[in-house]
Every structure is written in C-alpha cells, then in structure tokens.
C-alpha cells in the first residue's frame, strides 16, 4: 500500500483539526453523531476512515472500546503517537479481513464515504463486521447542495444545483494537493445501505452559520445558510 492523497496532506490536516476537530466538527457534526450513537460506554466501535484519530479519542473518552481504521499509513502513524488505548489499523475500507465478523456494536464514519471509491465494497464490509441491531452513523457533505454554486440575485443568495442525480467525481484543491471526491445522490447511498442489510433510522440535515471557519455577519448569507444545509448525518441500523 503506497502513498496516497491522504498521506500527502496528513501533517496539514492534523494541524487543522487537532485533538477536537475544526469548528465545523466541534459545533455542527460531532454533537449530532454523539446524539445518534447515545451511550457507548463499554461498546466496541469501529471508527472507519479515522484519519489522524482525533474522533477515535473523543469516542474513547466516552467509554467506548475503539478501533480506528484508515487507508493512510501516515495518518495512522500520527494517531499512534498519542499512545492511547485506541487500536489503530492501516487498511482499506472495502477489505477489512483483519477484523472479525460481527465484532462491533456500532460503526462511525465521520466525513469519509464521499472520499471512498469503492462504496459498495465498503458497505458490504461494514455489514459483515457489525452486529445485528448495531448502528452505522456516517457524515458527508450534503449531496444535494455540494455541487453547483452559490450566486446572489436581488440581494439574496441562491444555490444553482446541477448534475445531482449523476454519479460523478469532483476534484478539489486541499492543502495544496488535488483530491478526488465521489458524488452520489442520497438515493444511491440509501440503496446501497439497504442492499447491505441496513435500515435508515436517523437523518439530520445540518446547516451552519460559519463561512471559512468564521461566524458570518452577512444577514443574506445567514438566511441562505439556514435554508441550504451543508452536511448530512445519517444513522443506519443493521437488520
């Protein structure tokens, strides 16, 4: 397993999110994940696409027995430097043969599925390693509004959306490196979850009040942000 795009930005990403996540994690998405998971004390939880492990550590502090898995060796190297009780493993989300069947109570994937090419294989593996009745909680940029562009007309911001139903890729520049992300409509995610034996049991569309990490004071932009959610948090339960 050679260097990948995450290896290249591991240091910059670690600096940006630190031990608690950036402002969007801390204020908007992490609280939703914890709310959906509920009490995790004593539960064995897989933190899929764990990155440099900050969220694994937060889960551990809530009493969970955490295993963090990520494709990036450099991310896992950073995570292991914390020398915590979290078990960190390098591996592909679509081939976690190093994990036993039905070995996890819950799974979390905090901003990862939209970066994973083999979504079908990943969901199949998650279905294999999770116990019946276990929760799979995942967060992605909202697929309906991540595409397109924001424009201002007559003093109001609107979102021009195009290509929503098409499976597509999007290249972004992050930490001075090109990244490929995978656009799929919500229907596609749900269809694959259903095929994997999951039922959708929770669904939160998360709006924000921040722009570029800072609270916005633009009233028109705030109105727009209240109407156009930035993130999607979903809870699925294994049948």
């Amino acid at each position: 397993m050679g260097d990948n795009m995450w290896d290249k930005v591991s240091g910059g990403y670690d600096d940006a999110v630190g031990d608690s996540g950036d402002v969007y994690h801390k204020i908007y998405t992490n609280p939703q994940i914890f709310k959906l998971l509920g009490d995790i004390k004593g539960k064995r939880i897989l933190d899929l696409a764990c990155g440099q492990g900050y969220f694994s550590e937060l889960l551990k502090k809530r009493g969970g027995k955490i295993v963090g898995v990520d494709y990036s060796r450099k991310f896992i190297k950073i995570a292991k430097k914390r020398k915590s009780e979290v078990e960190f493993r390098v591996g592909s989300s679509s081939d976690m043969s190093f994990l036993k069947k039905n070995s996890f109570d819950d799974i979390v994937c905090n901003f990862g599925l939209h970066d994973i090419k083999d979504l079908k294989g990943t969901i199949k593996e998650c279905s294999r390693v999770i116990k019946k009745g276990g929760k799979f909680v995942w967060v992605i940029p909202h697929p309906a509004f991540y595409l397109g562009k924001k424009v201002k007309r007559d003093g109001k911001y609107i979102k021009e959306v195009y290509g929503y139903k098409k499976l597509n890729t999007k290249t972004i520049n992050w930490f001075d490196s090109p990244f490929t992300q995978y656009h799929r409509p919500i229907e596609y995610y749900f269809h694959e979850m259903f095929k994997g034996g999951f039922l959708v049991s929770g669904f939160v569309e998360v709006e924000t009040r921040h722009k570029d990490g800072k609270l916005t004071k633009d009233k028109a932009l705030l109105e727009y942000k209240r109407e156009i959610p930035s993130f999607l948090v979903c809870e699925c339960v294994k049948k």
Side-chain angles (χ1 to χ4, degrees):
M1 190 183 296
D3 285 358
N4 55 59
M5 63 183 185
W6 289 104
D7 286 327
K8 296 176 182 177
V9 302
S10 57
Y13 183 85
D14 184 43
D15 290 340
V17 304
D19 295 329
S20 57
D22 64 20
V23 65
Y24 299 99
H25 296 138
K26 287 186 286 190
I27 296 177
Y28 300 110
T29 57
N30 288 356
Q32 294 293 341
I33 297 173
F34 292 132
K35 184 177 180 180
L36 290 172
L37 282 176
D39 184 8
I40 62 170
K41 189 173 182 179
K43 289 187 175 182
R44 193 163 189 260
I45 297 177
L46 171 62
D47 185 8
L48 184 64
C50 67
Q52 44 72 279
Y54 95 87
F55 197 71
S56 299
E57 299 293 343
L58 296 183
L59 291 168
K60 180 64 183 177
K61 288 179 180 178
R62 289 175 177 254
K65 299 174 182 178
I66 315 303
V67 177
V69 173
D70 200 276
Y71 188 65
S72 166
R73 291 184 181 276
K74 291 185 179 179
F75 263 152
I76 296 300
K77 184 177 181 180
I78 293 171
K80 286 183 175 180
K81 285 182 178 179
R82 290 188 168 87
K83 297 182 180 179
S84 71
E85 295 179 13
V86 175
E87 178 186 346
F88 289 108
R89 302 287 297 270
V90 177
S92 169
S93 61
S94 59
D95 180 10
M96 295 185 285
S97 54
F98 49 89
L99 300 177
K100 294 181 180 180
K101 181 180 180 181
N102 302 328
S103 58
F104 290 94
D105 297 294
D106 298 315
I107 299 173
V108 173
C109 188
N110 193 0
F111 287 106
L113 295 184
H114 63 297
D115 293 318
I116 293 172
K117 184 177 182 179
D118 186 3
L119 182 68
K120 294 176 184 285
T122 295
I123 294 174
K124 185 177 180 180
E125 275 292 83
C126 287
S127 180
R128 182 183 67 81
V129 302
I130 197 171
K131 297 177 182 177
K132 183 178 180 180
K135 294 179 180 180
F136 181 11
V137 179
W138 44 276
V139 184
I140 57 173
H142 200 300
F145 306 112
Y146 193 48
L147 296 177
K149 62 180 180 179
K150 178 176 87 272
V151 297
K152 194 172 186 179
R153 293 178 184 169
D154 301 323
K156 292 186 176 182
Y157 289 99
I158 64 171
K159 187 77 170 185
E160 292 183 344
V161 178
Y162 48 85
Y164 170 69
K165 291 286 286 185
K166 296 180 180 178
L167 299 180
N168 214 332
T169 59
K170 178 178 181 178
T171 301
I172 64 171
N173 195 54
W174 206 32
F175 298 104
D176 297 321
S177 294
F179 270 74
T180 299
Q181 298 182 325
Y182 300 89
H183 168 75
R184 299 133 176 155
I186 297 172
E187 178 184 48
Y188 185 90
Y189 281 99
F190 283 8
H191 178 69
E192 293 304 320
M193 291 291 165
F194 299 151
K195 282 176 59 179
F198 291 99
L199 295 176
V200 177
S201 52
F203 187 88
V204 184
E205 295 177 296
V206 183
E207 70 273 9
T208 74
R209 301 181 304 279
H210 282 71
K211 182 180 185 298
D212 299 326
K214 298 180 180 179
L215 277 171
T216 180
K217 298 180 181 180
D218 185 332
K219 290 183 178 180
L221 185 57
L222 281 172
E223 183 179 353
Y224 164 86
K225 283 181 164 291
R226 282 195 294 265
E227 292 297 323
I228 305 296
S230 298
F231 311 119
L232 176 62
V233 185
C234 189
E235 173 195 273
C236 298
V237 173
K238 177 67 182 298
K239 294 188 291 183

